[in-house]
Amino acid sequence: MKKFSNILKYIMLVLFTCIISCKDTQRENPVEEPAESYDTKPVLKAEDSIEYRRALLPVWEYGHEPGVEMPVKVREVDTEAITAQHLIDIMNFQYEEKVYLKYHKLSGDTLYVTIDESTFLTQQMGTMGADAYLSVATYTLTELDYVNTVHFDFKEGDHAIPGMYSRQYYIDRNKERFQ
């Protein structure tokens, strides 16, 4: 009887092992954690008050010179040490509580950003203000060597439309306007 009991235990163990090993793992959906991108890591913390504010000073500002509707560079940045998120933070600091850019993704040489609440940009800044914002944001975000185009995603309004913008777009547009 003891021999029969041991055989039964052995059979149960084999069956249990088979059942577990044959479990359908196809149905389980593993949760994929998004990998943190180099471009989304914060560079400075708010505790670094003076350094933090200095780091958020504009890189480009809109120039209002006659015959030129283009951003003007106001300071240099170390493109080796800066990230797309830091450049987005610079824009958000300049337009605090008005326009808030969010990093979406980087694909090829295009940086994708979103503006969830675009009413101020598209309805309240006027056409010149919206154009100034988009051109300064484009020039600021294309400071990175690997970003040539910025895709803005927001709800279209009277004064601004979403889409792809590049420095070349503004250069070409300026040539057409002032020939």
Side-chain angles (χ1 to χ4, degrees), residues 1 3 18 26 33 37 40-42 44 51 54 66 78 88 95-96 112 128-129 140 148 153-155 161 177:
M1 192 65 162
K3 189 175 184 181
C18 286
Q26 295 282 332
E33 303 249 349
S37 164
T40 60
K41 291 181 183 175
L44 295 170
E51 187 180 350
R54 189 174 299 134
D78 181 0
I88 289 169
Y95 291 88
E96 194 171 5
Y112 290 80
M128 283 282 283
T140 298
N148 292 316
D153 183 22
F154 57 86
K155 185 178 177 192
I161 58 171
R177 285 185 179 175

Side-chain angles (χ1 to χ4, degrees), residues 37-162:
S37 164
Y38 172 74
D39 288 319
T40 60
K41 291 181 183 175
V43 176
L44 295 170
K45 298 177 185 129
E47 303 91 61
D48 308 327
S49 187
I50 294 171
E51 187 180 350
Y52 178 75
R53 290 192 175 276
R54 189 174 299 134
L56 292 175
L57 290 173
V59 178
W60 291 86
E61 291 181 345
Y62 196 71
H64 295 287
E65 298 173 26
V68 178
E69 294 176 2
M70 297 281 286
V72 176
K73 192 165 195 174
V74 293
R75 77 175 174 106
E76 293 294 325
V77 290
D78 181 0
T79 57
E80 297 288 321
I82 204 161
T83 66
Q85 184 59 56
H86 186 182
L87 294 170
I88 289 169
D89 291 345
I90 289 171
M91 289 303 301
N92 288 340
F93 185 73
Q94 290 175 51
Y95 291 88
E96 194 171 5
E97 297 184 22
K98 295 176 183 165
V99 181
Y100 185 79
L101 272 177
K102 287 187 348 188
Y103 178 97
H104 179 67
K105 69 179 180 177
L106 179 65
S107 180
D109 69 345
T110 302
L111 176 63
Y112 290 80
V113 294
T114 58
I115 303 170
D116 290 336
E117 178 48 57
S118 61
T119 304
F120 189 83
L121 172 67
T122 62
Q123 302 298 330
Q124 297 173 355
M125 292 178 85
T127 303
M128 283 282 283
D131 183 62
Y133 176 83
L134 290 171
S135 65
V136 167
T138 298
Y139 270 72
T140 298
L141 298 175
T142 56
E143 274 297 300
L144 298 168
D145 296 334
Y146 53 89
V147 176
N148 292 316
T149 308
V150 180
H151 182 271
F152 293 90
D153 183 22
F154 57 86
K155 185 178 177 192
E156 184 174 340
D158 294 337
H159 303 293
I161 58 171

